[in-house]
Amino acid sequence: MAFPDYPLGERTIGRILADKARRIPEHPFLLWQGQRYTFAELEAITNRYANGFAAHGIGHGDHVAVLLPNCPEFLWVVWGLGKLGAVAVPLNTAAKGDMLAYFIRQSDSKMLIADSEWADRIAAVAGALPELGTYVFMGPIPNELAPRFGSAAQLLSLKAFESDDETAPPVDRVRHDDAHLIVYTSGTTGPSKGVLCPHSQGLGVGRSISTDYGYQSDDVIYACLPLFHVNALWYSCAAALWAEASFALSPRFSATRFWEEIRACGATQFNSLGAMTNILLQLPKGPEDRDHALRQIMAVPMQQALYAELKSRYGVAVTSLFAMSENYAVTTFVPDDRPDKAGSAGSARGASDLLIVDDDGRIMGPGEVGEIRMRPRYEGSMMNGYYKMPEATAGAFVEGWFCTGDRGYLDADGYLYFIDRKKEAIRRRGENISAYEVELILSRHPAILEVAAVPVPSEMSEDEVMVYVVLNAGMSMTHAEVVHFAAEHMNYFMVPRFVEFIAELPKTATEKIEKYKLKQDALERRSALWDREREGIHIAR
């Protein structure tokens, strides 16, 4: 291992940035739109921001909401706050209205730092946030909107927080178990929960990922997923930081620009999340598919077919994992793992204890599907709990085991296979159907770009399967053709009853499909949906 292995007590962002700047000051870390920032510059800039925040009254334990796009300032802000022991609250950049107000209010943020692009959206909820006294904007200060923020509100420019003082705040004021982030869950089954993440959690992720996947100082880790999500912030950025590699940041995922950016920055690794993998595989094939410096792609979740196609088409090693905002890389599938295990999320490698249980808590054997539960083996690797939600925190654990809410199984060798979210499982006539498996099979049709499977209440109790299908540009397909393809490639009970073509799927900024919107649409238009039973299409067993 070429990079240091910092002990738990030293795993704070202030200590690690200072050590990197002292040891390898000229090594490039952040690559952003033609600019390069070295470790020495990283230390100096984040010190200036930390001192700027302190001069404006931010101190240890204060909460600051952050509504910024992918940009260097996101890191300057979040890491500058971390050096003071303040808590950054990165918000989904799509948040607006009641949801935006909820995040800021529930987190007890005393300051909001946002891109001026969203000033109007923020002004619309300012009246519901009397406790929020300071609004800081990256870009022009929206003075024309000032009356909507209230007479007592301060509107400041982010530039005012980059002080001239590059002195590092005392590192001994921040502990490894102090909260660094509050990261909000998706809230699909209730109010979004704020995950309290200590410094050691994200940095521990950086350690495990860079170690398990063999990252080195000459690697370039590319990220186009949003920094407000832990995939980019921990599994790309923190991994690059720990490994003393370079971190190439893109504003957002764009299928048309993706490979151009990969080649331009010399990326050696990137993470692909959800539908992003299938979108990339649907791009036209050509001789340039191997014209890159890539050596690894992390695909989450992963199936055997995706593994084989990524590896053969792009000539790279393919990795995967199982993780959540509440924990870490619970399991990892690494380059040296056997190819026949490629449909898995890997094994725990000593980092976790794993259990699979049924709905009654009975422990399941190898190959039996149930809820995935995990228990960490290392201190400081998990959340400190859900902010101001003690009952939710207590309810997430059973006898010391964290209940993930995901279903899967372990094979005889301890490899974990993800099936789906418990709340996304479709129950049809006594059979549990994985929405993910339905989607994966249908997405293999050459005319289909993306697909989302959702449950629709059945007249006979339980559910019927419905799919929303996005076609590739210039391609055509009938509803019946979708059903017949499904019948040919999946179990009869999985074949969709309802099919709807849609121009694009509603998604979060992290490329996760917002299925609750699709479910609501299906319920409201059920009688108008294309229905294979009404069309007289019979599926043989």
Side-chain angles (χ1 to χ4, degrees), residues 407 420-436 438-439 452-456 462-467 493-494 515 519:
R407 297 193 316 135
D420 56 18
R421 294 288 295 163
K422 282 181 70 176
K423 60 196 174 199
E424 288 187 7
I426 302 171
R427 179 80 173 176
R428 182 178 184 270
R429 301 182 188 183
E431 299 282 358
N432 285 318
I433 299 168
S434 166
Y436 176 68
V438 173
E439 293 161 1
V454 297
V456 174
E462 297 188 336
D463 302 318
E464 297 287 356
V465 182
M466 175 172 181
V467 292
F493 56 81
M494 299 170 64
K515 290 193 174 180
K519 291 177 186 177

PDB file of all heavy atoms in Angstrom, residues 407 420-436 438-439 452-456 462-467 493-494 515 519:
ATOM      1  N   ARG A 407     -33.513  -6.655   0.042  1.00  0.00           N
ATOM      2  CA  ARG A 407     -33.611  -8.114  -0.001  1.00  0.00           C
ATOM      3  C   ARG A 407     -32.486  -8.690  -0.849  1.00  0.00           C
ATOM      4  O   ARG A 407     -32.061  -8.099  -1.841  1.00  0.00           O
ATOM      5  CB  ARG A 407     -34.957  -8.553  -0.595  1.00  0.00           C
ATOM      6  CG  ARG A 407     -36.164  -8.126   0.210  1.00  0.00           C
ATOM      7  CD  ARG A 407     -37.426  -8.851  -0.251  1.00  0.00           C
ATOM      8  NE  ARG A 407     -37.527  -8.900  -1.701  1.00  0.00           N
ATOM      9  CZ  ARG A 407     -37.868  -9.983  -2.399  1.00  0.00           C
ATOM     10  NH1 ARG A 407     -38.131 -11.113  -1.777  1.00  0.00           N
ATOM     11  NH2 ARG A 407     -37.961  -9.936  -3.721  1.00  0.00           N
ATOM     12  N   ASP A 420     -33.659  -6.725  -4.470  1.00  0.00           N
ATOM     13  CA  ASP A 420     -34.377  -5.466  -4.629  1.00  0.00           C
ATOM     14  C   ASP A 420     -34.609  -4.839  -3.256  1.00  0.00           C
ATOM     15  O   ASP A 420     -34.269  -5.417  -2.228  1.00  0.00           O
ATOM     16  CB  ASP A 420     -35.726  -5.657  -5.364  1.00  0.00           C
ATOM     17  CG  ASP A 420     -36.633  -6.684  -4.689  1.00  0.00           C
ATOM     18  OD1 ASP A 420     -36.400  -6.995  -3.504  1.00  0.00           O
ATOM     19  OD2 ASP A 420     -37.563  -7.179  -5.354  1.00  0.00           O
ATOM     20  N   ARG A 421     -35.162  -3.641  -3.273  1.00  0.00           N
ATOM     21  CA  ARG A 421     -35.636  -3.032  -2.041  1.00  0.00           C
ATOM     22  C   ARG A 421     -36.904  -3.749  -1.598  1.00  0.00           C
ATOM     23  O   ARG A 421     -37.741  -4.113  -2.436  1.00  0.00           O
ATOM     24  CB  ARG A 421     -35.967  -1.552  -2.271  1.00  0.00           C
ATOM     25  CG  ARG A 421     -34.790  -0.671  -2.603  1.00  0.00           C
ATOM     26  CD  ARG A 421     -33.893  -0.448  -1.410  1.00  0.00           C
ATOM     27  NE  ARG A 421     -34.569   0.304  -0.350  1.00  0.00           N
ATOM     28  CZ  ARG A 421     -34.133   0.353   0.919  1.00  0.00           C
ATOM     29  NH1 ARG A 421     -33.065  -0.323   1.271  1.00  0.00           N
ATOM     30  NH2 ARG A 421     -34.782   1.062   1.817  1.00  0.00           N
ATOM     31  N   LYS A 422     -37.055  -3.982  -0.304  1.00  0.00           N
ATOM     32  CA  LYS A 422     -38.271  -4.638   0.183  1.00  0.00           C
ATOM     33  C   LYS A 422     -39.516  -3.897  -0.287  1.00  0.00           C
ATOM     34  O   LYS A 422     -40.506  -4.498  -0.688  1.00  0.00           O
ATOM     35  CB  LYS A 422     -38.262  -4.704   1.712  1.00  0.00           C
ATOM     36  CG  LYS A 422     -37.377  -5.785   2.290  1.00  0.00           C
ATOM     37  CD  LYS A 422     -37.430  -5.798   3.806  1.00  0.00           C
ATOM     38  CE  LYS A 422     -38.778  -6.284   4.321  1.00  0.00           C
ATOM     39  NZ  LYS A 422     -38.800  -6.398   5.798  1.00  0.00           N
ATOM     40  N   LYS A 423     -39.440  -2.564  -0.275  1.00  0.00           N
ATOM     41  CA  LYS A 423     -40.612  -1.773  -0.639  1.00  0.00           C
ATOM     42  C   LYS A 423     -40.829  -1.727  -2.148  1.00  0.00           C
ATOM     43  O   LYS A 423     -41.853  -1.235  -2.606  1.00  0.00           O
ATOM     44  CB  LYS A 423     -40.476  -0.355  -0.092  1.00  0.00           C
ATOM     45  CG  LYS A 423     -39.269   0.415  -0.610  1.00  0.00           C
ATOM     46  CD  LYS A 423     -38.994   1.622   0.247  1.00  0.00           C
ATOM     47  CE  LYS A 423     -37.716   2.326  -0.165  1.00  0.00           C
ATOM     48  NZ  LYS A 423     -37.192   3.207   0.864  1.00  0.00           N
ATOM     49  N   GLU A 424     -39.866  -2.258  -2.947  1.00  0.00           N
ATOM     50  CA  GLU A 424     -40.041  -2.289  -4.396  1.00  0.00           C
ATOM     51  C   GLU A 424     -40.382  -3.687  -4.906  1.00  0.00           C
ATOM     52  O   GLU A 424     -40.558  -3.882  -6.102  1.00  0.00           O
ATOM     53  CB  GLU A 424     -38.785  -1.770  -5.105  1.00  0.00           C
ATOM     54  CG  GLU A 424     -38.594  -0.277  -4.958  1.00  0.00           C
ATOM     55  CD  GLU A 424     -37.448   0.263  -5.795  1.00  0.00           C
ATOM     56  OE1 GLU A 424     -36.890  -0.521  -6.600  1.00  0.00           O
ATOM     57  OE2 GLU A 424     -37.103   1.433  -5.642  1.00  0.00           O
ATOM     58  N   ALA A 425     -40.467  -4.652  -4.012  1.00  0.00           N
ATOM     59  CA  ALA A 425     -40.844  -5.993  -4.434  1.00  0.00           C
ATOM     60  C   ALA A 425     -42.309  -5.981  -4.865  1.00  0.00           C
ATOM     61  O   ALA A 425     -43.133  -5.262  -4.311  1.00  0.00           O
ATOM     62  CB  ALA A 425     -40.636  -6.984  -3.306  1.00  0.00           C
ATOM     63  N   ILE A 426     -42.614  -6.769  -5.880  1.00  0.00           N
ATOM     64  CA  ILE A 426     -43.983  -6.883  -6.397  1.00  0.00           C
ATOM     65  C   ILE A 426     -44.496  -8.270  -6.029  1.00  0.00           C
ATOM     66  O   ILE A 426     -43.852  -9.283  -6.327  1.00  0.00           O
ATOM     67  CB  ILE A 426     -44.005  -6.673  -7.922  1.00  0.00           C
ATOM     68  CG1 ILE A 426     -43.418  -5.297  -8.277  1.00  0.00           C
ATOM     69  CG2 ILE A 426     -45.433  -6.799  -8.463  1.00  0.00           C
ATOM     70  CD1 ILE A 426     -43.207  -5.089  -9.769  1.00  0.00           C
ATOM     71  N   ARG A 427     -45.645  -8.311  -5.368  1.00  0.00           N
ATOM     72  CA  ARG A 427     -46.217  -9.583  -4.932  1.00  0.00           C
ATOM     73  C   ARG A 427     -47.395  -9.927  -5.829  1.00  0.00           C
ATOM     74  O   ARG A 427     -48.425  -9.250  -5.813  1.00  0.00           O
ATOM     75  CB  ARG A 427     -46.678  -9.472  -3.481  1.00  0.00           C
ATOM     76  CG  ARG A 427     -47.310 -10.739  -2.914  1.00  0.00           C
ATOM     77  CD  ARG A 427     -46.265 -11.725  -2.495  1.00  0.00           C
ATOM     78  NE  ARG A 427     -46.870 -12.864  -1.795  1.00  0.00           N
ATOM     79  CZ  ARG A 427     -46.187 -13.926  -1.391  1.00  0.00           C
ATOM     80  NH1 ARG A 427     -44.888 -13.980  -1.589  1.00  0.00           N
ATOM     81  NH2 ARG A 427     -46.789 -14.917  -0.782  1.00  0.00           N
ATOM     82  N   ARG A 428     -47.237 -10.945  -6.676  1.00  0.00           N
ATOM     83  CA  ARG A 428     -48.293 -11.308  -7.622  1.00  0.00           C
ATOM     84  C   ARG A 428     -48.668 -12.776  -7.457  1.00  0.00           C
ATOM     85  O   ARG A 428     -47.862 -13.663  -7.690  1.00  0.00           O
ATOM     86  CB  ARG A 428     -47.843 -11.042  -9.063  1.00  0.00           C
ATOM     87  CG  ARG A 428     -48.916 -11.365 -10.098  1.00  0.00           C
ATOM     88  CD  ARG A 428     -48.449 -11.040 -11.513  1.00  0.00           C
ATOM     89  NE  ARG A 428     -49.518 -11.278 -12.471  1.00  0.00           N
ATOM     90  CZ  ARG A 428     -49.728 -12.442 -13.097  1.00  0.00           C
ATOM     91  NH1 ARG A 428     -48.928 -13.468 -12.838  1.00  0.00           N
ATOM     92  NH2 ARG A 428     -50.727 -12.576 -13.950  1.00  0.00           N
ATOM     93  N   ARG A 429     -49.903 -13.006  -7.025  1.00  0.00           N
ATOM     94  CA  ARG A 429     -50.464 -14.353  -6.924  1.00  0.00           C
ATOM     95  C   ARG A 429     -49.521 -15.310  -6.200  1.00  0.00           C
ATOM     96  O   ARG A 429     -49.236 -16.429  -6.656  1.00  0.00           O
ATOM     97  CB  ARG A 429     -50.834 -14.876  -8.311  1.00  0.00           C
ATOM     98  CG  ARG A 429     -51.852 -13.955  -8.992  1.00  0.00           C
ATOM     99  CD  ARG A 429     -52.297 -14.429 -10.342  1.00  0.00           C
ATOM    100  NE  ARG A 429     -53.114 -13.379 -10.984  1.00  0.00           N
ATOM    101  CZ  ARG A 429     -53.699 -13.516 -12.165  1.00  0.00           C
ATOM    102  NH1 ARG A 429     -53.582 -14.656 -12.845  1.00  0.00           N
ATOM    103  NH2 ARG A 429     -54.402 -12.524 -12.678  1.00  0.00           N
ATOM    104  N   GLY A 430     -49.037 -14.845  -5.054  1.00  0.00           N
ATOM    105  CA  GLY A 430     -48.202 -15.683  -4.203  1.00  0.00           C
ATOM    106  C   GLY A 430     -46.728 -15.682  -4.536  1.00  0.00           C
ATOM    107  O   GLY A 430     -45.928 -16.284  -3.815  1.00  0.00           O
ATOM    108  N   GLU A 431     -46.342 -15.016  -5.612  1.00  0.00           N
ATOM    109  CA  GLU A 431     -44.938 -14.970  -6.021  1.00  0.00           C
ATOM    110  C   GLU A 431     -44.345 -13.596  -5.726  1.00  0.00           C
ATOM    111  O   GLU A 431     -44.966 -12.565  -6.009  1.00  0.00           O
ATOM    112  CB  GLU A 431     -44.799 -15.246  -7.523  1.00  0.00           C
ATOM    113  CG  GLU A 431     -45.302 -16.612  -7.968  1.00  0.00           C
ATOM    114  CD  GLU A 431     -44.320 -17.725  -7.658  1.00  0.00           C
ATOM    115  OE1 GLU A 431     -43.233 -17.430  -7.123  1.00  0.00           O
ATOM    116  OE2 GLU A 431     -44.638 -18.887  -7.970  1.00  0.00           O
ATOM    117  N   ASN A 432     -43.119 -13.574  -5.167  1.00  0.00           N
ATOM    118  CA  ASN A 432     -42.381 -12.330  -4.994  1.00  0.00           C
ATOM    119  C   ASN A 432     -41.568 -12.061  -6.254  1.00  0.00           C
ATOM    120  O   ASN A 432     -40.752 -12.899  -6.670  1.00  0.00           O
ATOM    121  CB  ASN A 432     -41.441 -12.410  -3.790  1.00  0.00           C
ATOM    122  CG  ASN A 432     -42.195 -12.310  -2.480  1.00  0.00           C
ATOM    123  OD1 ASN A 432     -43.103 -11.499  -2.350  1.00  0.00           O
ATOM    124  ND2 ASN A 432     -41.827 -13.142  -1.521  1.00  0.00           N
ATOM    125  N   ILE A 433     -41.804 -10.910  -6.871  1.00  0.00           N
ATOM    126  CA  ILE A 433     -41.152 -10.558  -8.131  1.00  0.00           C
ATOM    127  C   ILE A 433     -40.195  -9.392  -7.897  1.00  0.00           C
ATOM    128  O   ILE A 433     -40.572  -8.378  -7.303  1.00  0.00           O
ATOM    129  CB  ILE A 433     -42.199 -10.177  -9.193  1.00  0.00           C
ATOM    130  CG1 ILE A 433     -43.140 -11.364  -9.453  1.00  0.00           C
ATOM    131  CG2 ILE A 433     -41.538  -9.720 -10.490  1.00  0.00           C
ATOM    132  CD1 ILE A 433     -44.359 -10.992 -10.261  1.00  0.00           C
ATOM    133  N   SER A 434     -38.972  -9.532  -8.371  1.00  0.00           N
ATOM    134  CA  SER A 434     -38.003  -8.449  -8.277  1.00  0.00           C
ATOM    135  C   SER A 434     -38.218  -7.464  -9.420  1.00  0.00           C
ATOM    136  O   SER A 434     -38.070  -7.827 -10.597  1.00  0.00           O
ATOM    137  CB  SER A 434     -36.573  -9.000  -8.337  1.00  0.00           C
ATOM    138  OG  SER A 434     -35.651  -7.959  -8.564  1.00  0.00           O
ATOM    139  N   ALA A 435     -38.577  -6.233  -9.074  1.00  0.00           N
ATOM    140  CA  ALA A 435     -38.727  -5.204 -10.103  1.00  0.00           C
ATOM    141  C   ALA A 435     -37.422  -5.036 -10.875  1.00  0.00           C
ATOM    142  O   ALA A 435     -37.422  -4.844 -12.097  1.00  0.00           O
ATOM    143  CB  ALA A 435     -39.151  -3.883  -9.469  1.00  0.00           C
ATOM    144  N   TYR A 436     -36.315  -5.128 -10.178  1.00  0.00           N
ATOM    145  CA  TYR A 436     -35.008  -4.953 -10.821  1.00  0.00           C
ATOM    146  C   TYR A 436     -34.760  -6.024 -11.873  1.00  0.00           C
ATOM    147  O   TYR A 436     -34.232  -5.747 -12.961  1.00  0.00           O
ATOM    148  CB  TYR A 436     -33.899  -4.969  -9.766  1.00  0.00           C
ATOM    149  CG  TYR A 436     -32.516  -4.892 -10.342  1.00  0.00           C
ATOM    150  CD1 TYR A 436     -32.070  -3.735 -10.972  1.00  0.00           C
ATOM    151  CD2 TYR A 436     -31.646  -5.977 -10.279  1.00  0.00           C
ATOM    152  CE1 TYR A 436     -30.796  -3.662 -11.516  1.00  0.00           C
ATOM    153  CE2 TYR A 436     -30.380  -5.916 -10.819  1.00  0.00           C
ATOM    154  CZ  TYR A 436     -29.953  -4.752 -11.439  1.00  0.00           C
ATOM    155  OH  TYR A 436     -28.691  -4.677 -11.975  1.00  0.00           O
ATOM    156  N   VAL A 438     -37.037  -7.720 -13.597  1.00  0.00           N
ATOM    157  CA  VAL A 438     -37.911  -7.429 -14.738  1.00  0.00           C
ATOM    158  C   VAL A 438     -37.269  -6.347 -15.609  1.00  0.00           C
ATOM    159  O   VAL A 438     -37.213  -6.454 -16.843  1.00  0.00           O
ATOM    160  CB  VAL A 438     -39.309  -6.988 -14.266  1.00  0.00           C
ATOM    161  CG1 VAL A 438     -40.166  -6.520 -15.444  1.00  0.00           C
ATOM    162  CG2 VAL A 438     -40.007  -8.128 -13.538  1.00  0.00           C
ATOM    163  N   GLU A 439     -36.779  -5.300 -14.962  1.00  0.00           N
ATOM    164  CA  GLU A 439     -36.157  -4.189 -15.694  1.00  0.00           C
ATOM    165  C   GLU A 439     -34.909  -4.639 -16.444  1.00  0.00           C
ATOM    166  O   GLU A 439     -34.679  -4.258 -17.593  1.00  0.00           O
ATOM    167  CB  GLU A 439     -35.817  -3.079 -14.700  1.00  0.00           C
ATOM    168  CG  GLU A 439     -37.036  -2.422 -14.080  1.00  0.00           C
ATOM    169  CD  GLU A 439     -36.732  -1.671 -12.801  1.00  0.00           C
ATOM    170  OE1 GLU A 439     -35.552  -1.638 -12.374  1.00  0.00           O
ATOM    171  OE2 GLU A 439     -37.672  -1.128 -12.211  1.00  0.00           O
ATOM    172  N   ALA A 452     -38.853   0.829 -16.197  1.00  0.00           N
ATOM    173  CA  ALA A 452     -39.132   0.831 -14.766  1.00  0.00           C
ATOM    174  C   ALA A 452     -40.349  -0.045 -14.510  1.00  0.00           C
ATOM    175  O   ALA A 452     -41.386   0.118 -15.161  1.00  0.00           O
ATOM    176  CB  ALA A 452     -39.389   2.244 -14.264  1.00  0.00           C
ATOM    177  N   ALA A 453     -40.219  -0.979 -13.584  1.00  0.00           N
ATOM    178  CA  ALA A 453     -41.325  -1.868 -13.219  1.00  0.00           C
ATOM    179  C   ALA A 453     -41.902  -1.431 -11.880  1.00  0.00           C
ATOM    180  O   ALA A 453     -41.155  -1.184 -10.927  1.00  0.00           O
ATOM    181  CB  ALA A 453     -40.840  -3.309 -13.140  1.00  0.00           C
ATOM    182  N   VAL A 454     -43.237  -1.346 -11.809  1.00  0.00           N
ATOM    183  CA  VAL A 454     -43.920  -0.927 -10.585  1.00  0.00           C
ATOM    184  C   VAL A 454     -45.139  -1.815 -10.357  1.00  0.00           C
ATOM    185  O   VAL A 454     -45.700  -2.379 -11.309  1.00  0.00           O
ATOM    186  CB  VAL A 454     -44.360   0.551 -10.639  1.00  0.00           C
ATOM    187  CG1 VAL A 454     -43.160   1.470 -10.759  1.00  0.00           C
ATOM    188  CG2 VAL A 454     -45.342   0.781 -11.778  1.00  0.00           C
ATOM    189  N   PRO A 455     -45.581  -1.937  -9.107  1.00  0.00           N
ATOM    190  CA  PRO A 455     -46.791  -2.707  -8.836  1.00  0.00           C
ATOM    191  C   PRO A 455     -48.049  -1.867  -9.069  1.00  0.00           C
ATOM    192  O   PRO A 455     -48.069  -0.677  -8.789  1.00  0.00           O
ATOM    193  CB  PRO A 455     -46.647  -3.064  -7.355  1.00  0.00           C
ATOM    194  CG  PRO A 455     -45.855  -1.934  -6.780  1.00  0.00           C
ATOM    195  CD  PRO A 455     -44.917  -1.490  -7.871  1.00  0.00           C
ATOM    196  N   VAL A 456     -49.077  -2.523  -9.594  1.00  0.00           N
ATOM    197  CA  VAL A 456     -50.403  -1.931  -9.722  1.00  0.00           C
ATOM    198  C   VAL A 456     -51.367  -2.850  -8.978  1.00  0.00           C
ATOM    199  O   VAL A 456     -51.329  -4.067  -9.191  1.00  0.00           O
ATOM    200  CB  VAL A 456     -50.823  -1.805 -11.203  1.00  0.00           C
ATOM    201  CG1 VAL A 456     -52.271  -1.323 -11.318  1.00  0.00           C
ATOM    202  CG2 VAL A 456     -49.896  -0.850 -11.937  1.00  0.00           C
ATOM    203  N   GLU A 462     -53.285  -8.455  -3.879  1.00  0.00           N
ATOM    204  CA  GLU A 462     -51.874  -8.363  -4.225  1.00  0.00           C
ATOM    205  C   GLU A 462     -51.664  -7.419  -5.421  1.00  0.00           C
ATOM    206  O   GLU A 462     -52.395  -6.427  -5.551  1.00  0.00           O
ATOM    207  CB  GLU A 462     -51.268  -9.751  -4.463  1.00  0.00           C
ATOM    208  CG  GLU A 462     -51.310 -10.621  -3.215  1.00  0.00           C
ATOM    209  CD  GLU A 462     -50.560 -11.915  -3.345  1.00  0.00           C
ATOM    210  OE1 GLU A 462     -50.378 -12.395  -4.478  1.00  0.00           O
ATOM    211  OE2 GLU A 462     -50.147 -12.451  -2.316  1.00  0.00           O
ATOM    212  N   ASP A 463     -50.678  -7.709  -6.291  1.00  0.00           N
ATOM    213  CA  ASP A 463     -50.269  -6.756  -7.322  1.00  0.00           C
ATOM    214  C   ASP A 463     -50.304  -7.363  -8.716  1.00  0.00           C
ATOM    215  O   ASP A 463     -50.280  -8.582  -8.897  1.00  0.00           O
ATOM    216  CB  ASP A 463     -48.823  -6.276  -7.069  1.00  0.00           C
ATOM    217  CG  ASP A 463     -48.627  -5.639  -5.716  1.00  0.00           C
ATOM    218  OD1 ASP A 463     -49.504  -4.867  -5.307  1.00  0.00           O
ATOM    219  OD2 ASP A 463     -47.588  -5.924  -5.076  1.00  0.00           O
ATOM    220  N   GLU A 464     -50.311  -6.472  -9.698  1.00  0.00           N
ATOM    221  CA  GLU A 464     -49.999  -6.806 -11.084  1.00  0.00           C
ATOM    222  C   GLU A 464     -48.735  -6.043 -11.460  1.00  0.00           C
ATOM    223  O   GLU A 464     -48.419  -5.008 -10.866  1.00  0.00           O
ATOM    224  CB  GLU A 464     -51.144  -6.413 -12.026  1.00  0.00           C
ATOM    225  CG  GLU A 464     -52.436  -7.146 -11.782  1.00  0.00           C
ATOM    226  CD  GLU A 464     -52.416  -8.601 -12.239  1.00  0.00           C
ATOM    227  OE1 GLU A 464     -51.402  -9.029 -12.824  1.00  0.00           O
ATOM    228  OE2 GLU A 464     -53.412  -9.306 -12.013  1.00  0.00           O
ATOM    229  N   VAL A 465     -48.001  -6.556 -12.450  1.00  0.00           N
ATOM    230  CA  VAL A 465     -46.759  -5.925 -12.881  1.00  0.00           C
ATOM    231  C   VAL A 465     -47.044  -4.935 -14.004  1.00  0.00           C
ATOM    232  O   VAL A 465     -47.706  -5.268 -14.985  1.00  0.00           O
ATOM    233  CB  VAL A 465     -45.744  -6.980 -13.378  1.00  0.00           C
ATOM    234  CG1 VAL A 465     -44.432  -6.294 -13.790  1.00  0.00           C
ATOM    235  CG2 VAL A 465     -45.493  -8.027 -12.305  1.00  0.00           C
ATOM    236  N   MET A 466     -46.518  -3.712 -13.832  1.00  0.00           N
ATOM    237  CA  MET A 466     -46.600  -2.715 -14.887  1.00  0.00           C
ATOM    238  C   MET A 466     -45.192  -2.234 -15.215  1.00  0.00           C
ATOM    239  O   MET A 466     -44.344  -2.103 -14.314  1.00  0.00           O
ATOM    240  CB  MET A 466     -47.444  -1.520 -14.472  1.00  0.00           C
ATOM    241  CG  MET A 466     -47.436  -0.418 -15.517  1.00  0.00           C
ATOM    242  SD  MET A 466     -48.586   0.900 -15.204  1.00  0.00           S
ATOM    243  CE  MET A 466     -48.268   1.913 -16.657  1.00  0.00           C
ATOM    244  N   VAL A 467     -44.941  -1.971 -16.498  1.00  0.00           N
ATOM    245  CA  VAL A 467     -43.640  -1.426 -16.887  1.00  0.00           C
ATOM    246  C   VAL A 467     -43.822  -0.140 -17.678  1.00  0.00           C
ATOM    247  O   VAL A 467     -44.723  -0.034 -18.512  1.00  0.00           O
ATOM    248  CB  VAL A 467     -42.802  -2.432 -17.710  1.00  0.00           C
ATOM    249  CG1 VAL A 467     -42.380  -3.602 -16.850  1.00  0.00           C
ATOM    250  CG2 VAL A 467     -43.535  -2.905 -18.951  1.00  0.00           C
ATOM    251  N   PHE A 493     -44.948 -15.651 -14.405  1.00  0.00           N
ATOM    252  CA  PHE A 493     -45.607 -14.791 -13.414  1.00  0.00           C
ATOM    253  C   PHE A 493     -44.978 -13.399 -13.353  1.00  0.00           C
ATOM    254  O   PHE A 493     -45.542 -12.484 -12.755  1.00  0.00           O
ATOM    255  CB  PHE A 493     -45.611 -15.439 -12.027  1.00  0.00           C
ATOM    256  CG  PHE A 493     -44.249 -15.824 -11.500  1.00  0.00           C
ATOM    257  CD1 PHE A 493     -43.421 -14.880 -10.901  1.00  0.00           C
ATOM    258  CD2 PHE A 493     -43.804 -17.135 -11.586  1.00  0.00           C
ATOM    259  CE1 PHE A 493     -42.179 -15.233 -10.401  1.00  0.00           C
ATOM    260  CE2 PHE A 493     -42.557 -17.503 -11.095  1.00  0.00           C
ATOM    261  CZ  PHE A 493     -41.739 -16.547 -10.503  1.00  0.00           C
ATOM    262  N   MET A 494     -43.798 -13.210 -13.971  1.00  0.00           N
ATOM    263  CA  MET A 494     -43.129 -11.912 -13.988  1.00  0.00           C
ATOM    264  C   MET A 494     -43.569 -11.042 -15.172  1.00  0.00           C
ATOM    265  O   MET A 494     -43.332  -9.833 -15.166  1.00  0.00           O
ATOM    266  CB  MET A 494     -41.611 -12.088 -14.056  1.00  0.00           C
ATOM    267  CG  MET A 494     -40.990 -12.842 -12.892  1.00  0.00           C
ATOM    268  SD  MET A 494     -39.254 -13.271 -13.182  1.00  0.00           S
ATOM    269  CE  MET A 494     -38.492 -11.654 -13.277  1.00  0.00           C
ATOM    270  N   LYS A 515     -39.958   6.110  -8.504  1.00  0.00           N
ATOM    271  CA  LYS A 515     -41.042   5.177  -8.793  1.00  0.00           C
ATOM    272  C   LYS A 515     -42.370   5.588  -8.155  1.00  0.00           C
ATOM    273  O   LYS A 515     -43.429   5.200  -8.626  1.00  0.00           O
ATOM    274  CB  LYS A 515     -40.650   3.769  -8.372  1.00  0.00           C
ATOM    275  CG  LYS A 515     -39.555   3.172  -9.263  1.00  0.00           C
ATOM    276  CD  LYS A 515     -39.402   1.689  -9.050  1.00  0.00           C
ATOM    277  CE  LYS A 515     -38.420   1.103 -10.053  1.00  0.00           C
ATOM    278  NZ  LYS A 515     -38.241  -0.350  -9.891  1.00  0.00           N
ATOM    279  N   LYS A 519     -45.991   5.084  -9.823  1.00  0.00           N
ATOM    280  CA  LYS A 519     -47.087   4.364  -9.159  1.00  0.00           C
ATOM    281  C   LYS A 519     -48.336   5.225  -9.095  1.00  0.00           C
ATOM    282  O   LYS A 519     -49.454   4.754  -9.331  1.00  0.00           O
ATOM    283  CB  LYS A 519     -46.661   3.946  -7.752  1.00  0.00           C
ATOM    284  CG  LYS A 519     -45.597   2.878  -7.700  1.00  0.00           C
ATOM    285  CD  LYS A 519     -45.214   2.601  -6.251  1.00  0.00           C
ATOM    286  CE  LYS A 519     -44.051   1.639  -6.153  1.00  0.00           C
ATOM    287  NZ  LYS A 519     -43.624   1.406  -4.760  1.00  0.00           N
TER     288      LYS A 519
END
